[in-house]
């Protein structure tokens, strides 16, 4: 391959394809606009000035576009992170909050390097579906206050915005429908002088770029012990939400992403954000859906431009952006919530075919997320529930059958299934200790020993037979089972 061909292969898609270039720029603009009211709202939740949330969204998006593992995913200030750090800001002030953001980033880098992303393989599909559906519900619920107790003109604007996003793509897909909706509704409200809530009503936009600096806190052990619990909670919540979002984008785009790189990238982005005075953040699934699913973005350019446009719009076009009606952005988010929800998962035909346990896991995940407004808690509860259901289901698969020798001198018990803490609990009661002959063979050719509980159960069986003067021979162990049994047998009890 020639050097020129190698260089062409290293070029990003948007440099070589004008269509991709246009899509990425317009997608970045739409997301940048949508980020502004969200960042301001999350700033209010955290109890900080709106500029703190906007700075965080700017630095998170720009940095993650370079160091992140999932292309086209949007990271910015989020509600989940705001809820975690709000008490710290309330009790100790902004300096401690900024210090916690930096420490959370360090934790995320460390967790990413230790391979925490590999835990994603233990998140079942039913939890993933519940996560997506809960997210869609939360996105919609977040828009409800913007539709309550507002001037009547908000409603026709909202309906008009939704109509534009439904029908405009049928005319052309060159320009993202959400951008068209935002521009048209803004022009209408300004031209007609319609008094409705606007972006400017959410808070003042910053007039200059953030500057780097150290958090205003004493660098002592007391400070570290104060911020560490909040930083660790923020790191875990941020990674959970980011990795779940990355997995969802993988499925939507049918592409693979490095979850380890994403974990480390989230940490780097939070460290940079903290030094620039931002409130920290993680992946934003709502804005990511606008970018990937609605606008069709697929590269890092859209992520970089989302943050860049956000800051450019605030600084250079603050007065214009302030006049954007909230109805336009609410319409965009309502459309996003509708597109995000997995309607197939609740179709009667699907529910009839799905195992009851998986339906229960999906419902529990949705219920916990909606009740707590915390996606991470819902995912953890849903995953634990799925594991419990799986353990109970697998435990029933362990079976024991016996065949007595014709001469009555021995008996062979055949154990079939997976032996672990759940199934091995009942194993001890499946043998006739008093009635069996003196020679007992336990055949484990069709079984597998997974844990110490199973070895302890086999030891207990041997002990019960030994107390009656009978011998037990265990045969048929596969290599892994034999190794575990050999290392642990006789070592698990003190008597």
């Amino acid at each position: 391959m020639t050097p020129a061909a190698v260089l062409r292969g290293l070029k990003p898609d948007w440099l070589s394809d004008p269509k991709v270039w246009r899509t990425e720029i317009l997608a970045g603009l739409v997301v940048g606009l949508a980020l502004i009211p969200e960042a301001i709202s999350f700033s209010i939740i955290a109890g900080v000035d709106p500029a703190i949330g906007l700075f965080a969204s700017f630095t998170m998006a720009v940095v993650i576009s370079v160091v992140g593992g999932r292309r086209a995913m949007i990271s910015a200030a989020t509600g989940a992170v705001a809820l975690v750090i709000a008490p710290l800001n309330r009790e100790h002030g902004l300096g401690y909050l900024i210090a916690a953001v930096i420490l959370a980033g360090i934790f995320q880098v460390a967790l990413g390097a230790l391979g925490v992303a590999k835990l994603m393989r233990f998140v079942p599909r039913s939890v993933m579906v519940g996560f997506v559906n809960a997210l869609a519900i939360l996105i919609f619920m977040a828009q409800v206050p913007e539709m309550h107790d507002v001037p009547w003109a908000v409603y026709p604007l909202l309906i008009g915005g939704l109509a534009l996003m439904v029908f405009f793509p049928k005319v052309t897909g060159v320009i993202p429908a959400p951008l068209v909706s935002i521009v048209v509704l803004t022009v209408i409200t300004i031209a007609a002088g319609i008094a409705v809530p606007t972006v400017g009503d959410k808070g003042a936009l910053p007039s200059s770029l953030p500057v780097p600096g150290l958090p205003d806190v004493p660098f002592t052990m007391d400070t570290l012990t104060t911020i560490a619990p909040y930083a660790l909670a923020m790191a875990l919540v941020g990674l959970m939400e980011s990795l779940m979002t990355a997995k969802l984008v993988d499925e939507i785009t049918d592409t693979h992403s490095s979850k380890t790189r994403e974990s480390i990238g989230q940490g780097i982005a939070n460290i940079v954000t903290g030094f620039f005075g931002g409130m920290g953040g993680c992946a934003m699934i709502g804005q990511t859906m606008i970018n990937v699913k609605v606008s069709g973005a697929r590269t890092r350019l859209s992520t970089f431009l989302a943050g860049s446009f956000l800051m450019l719009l605030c600084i250079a076009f603050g007065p214009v952006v302030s006049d954007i009606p909230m109805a336009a952005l609410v319409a965009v988010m309502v459309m996003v919530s509708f597109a995000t929800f997995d309607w197939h998962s609740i179709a009667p035909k699907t529910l009839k075919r799905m195992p009851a346990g998986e339906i229960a896991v999906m419902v529990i995940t949705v219920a916990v997320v909606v009740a707590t407004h915390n996606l991470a808690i819902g995912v953890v509860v849903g995953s634990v529930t799925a594991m419990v259901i799986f353990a109970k289901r697998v435990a029933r698969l362990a079976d024991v059958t016996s065949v007595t020798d014709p001469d009555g001198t021995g008996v062979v018990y055949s154990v079939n299934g997976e032996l672990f803490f759940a199934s091995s609990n009942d194993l001890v009661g499946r043998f006739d200790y008093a009635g069996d002959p003196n020679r007992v063979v336990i055949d484990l050719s069709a079984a597998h020993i997974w844990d110490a509980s199973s070895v302890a159960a086999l030891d207990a069986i041997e002990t019960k037979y030994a107390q009656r003067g009978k011998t037990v021979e265990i045969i048929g162990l596969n290599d892994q089972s034999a190794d575990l049994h050999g290392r642990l047998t006789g070592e698990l009890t003190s008597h």
Side-chain angles (χ1 to χ4, degrees):
M1 186 179 289
T2 65
V6 172
L7 288 174
R8 282 197 299 272
L10 293 174
K11 274 187 177 182
D13 294 338
W14 58 271
L15 279 179
S16 55
D17 189 339
K19 185 178 179 181
V20 173
W21 183 78
R22 181 180 62 244
T23 299
E24 299 297 310
I25 291 177
L26 293 175
L29 179 58
V30 172
V31 174
L33 284 167
L35 277 172
I36 294 173
E38 295 275 305
I40 294 173
S41 297
F42 299 145
S43 299
I44 294 170
I45 292 174
V48 298
D49 188 81
I52 304 299
L54 291 165
F55 288 157
S57 294
F58 164 59
T59 53
M60 287 293 299
V62 169
V63 175
I64 207 68
S65 70
V66 178
V67 300
R70 172 64 260 177
R71 292 182 297 172
M73 190 167 76
I74 304 297
S75 291
T78 61
V81 168
L83 287 170
V84 170
I85 61 177
L88 178 63
N89 179 63
R90 189 166 52 247
E91 295 171 16
H92 298 281
L94 180 61
Y96 282 81
L97 182 151
I98 301 301
V101 170
I102 296 172
L103 183 58
I106 295 172
F107 283 149
Q108 288 177 328
V109 171
L111 290 169
L114 290 172
V116 70
K118 293 178 182 178
L119 295 176
M120 287 301 298
R121 71 182 68 178
F122 297 107
V123 179
R125 184 183 180 280
S126 52
V127 174
M128 189 69 185
V129 173
F131 166 83
V132 171
N133 290 346
L135 181 64
I137 294 170
L138 287 183
I139 292 172
F140 181 81
M141 288 174 61
Q143 312 314 310
V144 172
E146 304 295 339
M147 296 183 277
H148 177 68
D149 195 22
V150 292
W152 68 269
V154 167
Y155 302 109
L157 287 172
L158 181 60
I159 294 170
L162 292 171
L164 277 170
M165 283 183 284
V166 170
F167 296 109
F168 187 79
K170 301 180 186 300
V171 178
T172 178
V174 174
I175 305 175
L179 179 59
V180 174
S181 177
I182 292 169
V183 172
V184 169
L185 294 190
T186 303
V187 170
I188 290 174
T189 54
I190 293 175
I194 302 174
V196 291
T198 64
V199 170
D201 295 332
K202 289 289 184 180
L205 303 181
S207 57
S208 61
L209 289 170
V211 293
L214 295 174
D216 184 18
V217 295
F219 292 89
T220 63
M221 188 57 66
D222 286 341
T223 299
L224 181 61
T225 55
T226 299
I227 66 174
Y230 296 95
L232 181 59
M234 175 185 164
L236 294 174
V237 168
L239 283 182
M240 178 76 74
E241 196 156 339
S242 298
L243 294 176
M244 289 294 289
T245 304
K247 187 176 180 181
L248 177 60
V249 177
D250 286 354
E251 293 183 3
I252 292 172
T253 61
D254 196 24
T255 57
H256 175 72
S257 63
S258 171
K259 306 302 184 296
T260 296
R261 178 176 172 179
E262 183 61 40
S263 301
I264 296 173
Q266 288 289 328
I268 295 172
N270 272 306
I271 292 171
V272 173
T273 296
F275 281 119
F276 275 90
M279 58 181 272
C282 62
M284 292 189 75
I285 187 137
Q287 310 302 335
T288 299
M289 290 300 100
I290 294 177
N291 197 47
V292 174
K293 202 164 187 178
V294 179
S295 300
R298 292 292 183 272
T299 77
R300 297 178 184 275
L301 179 62
S302 57
T303 306
F304 177 84
L305 289 178
S308 301
F309 278 139
L310 177 147
M311 201 57 16
L312 178 65
L313 289 166
C314 290
I315 295 172
F317 302 99
V320 177
V321 173
S322 295
D323 286 335
I324 294 175
M326 284 302 300
L329 298 174
V330 169
V332 171
M333 297 310 293
V334 168
M335 184 60 70
V336 168
S337 69
F338 183 85
T340 301
F341 197 92
D342 186 353
W343 298 101
H344 177 72
S345 66
I346 61 170
K349 183 187 291 186
T350 303
L351 294 176
K352 286 180 182 178
R353 295 177 178 177
M354 286 280 286
E358 296 203 21
I359 295 174
V361 169
M362 181 180 70
V363 172
I364 288 170
T365 303
V366 171
V368 173
V369 172
V370 173
T372 62
H373 285 233
N374 190 314
L375 294 165
I377 294 176
V379 170
V380 171
V381 172
S383 297
V384 171
T385 303
M387 290 176 186
V388 171
I389 292 174
F390 174 76
K392 291 183 66 176
R393 187 182 300 160
V394 174
R396 298 194 192 102
L397 298 180
D399 190 32
V400 179
T401 56
S402 64
V403 177
T404 304
D405 289 344
D407 58 5
T409 60
V411 61
V412 177
Y413 283 92
S414 295
V415 181
N416 189 309
E418 307 298 323
L419 300 181
F420 64 112
F421 63 90
S423 59
S424 61
N425 285 337
D426 298 328
L427 192 63
V428 179
R430 304 292 293 275
F431 295 81
D432 185 4
Y433 302 101
D436 283 340
N438 290 334
R439 188 175 64 85
V440 179
V441 176
I442 302 176
D443 186 359
L444 297 176
S445 300
H448 186 95
I449 298 175
W450 286 104
D451 60 5
S453 297
S454 302
V455 177
L458 292 172
D459 284 353
I461 293 168
E462 291 187 86
T463 300
K464 287 181 179 292
Y465 277 116
Q467 289 171 347
R468 294 167 173 81
K470 303 176 182 181
T471 61
V472 175
E473 181 184 5
I474 297 176
I475 64 172
L477 288 169
N478 59 39
D479 291 342
Q480 289 179 317
S481 298
D483 178 64
L484 183 64
H485 184 264
R487 284 188 287 113
L488 296 180
T489 184
E491 303 293 332
L492 299 173
T493 58
S494 58
H495 55 277

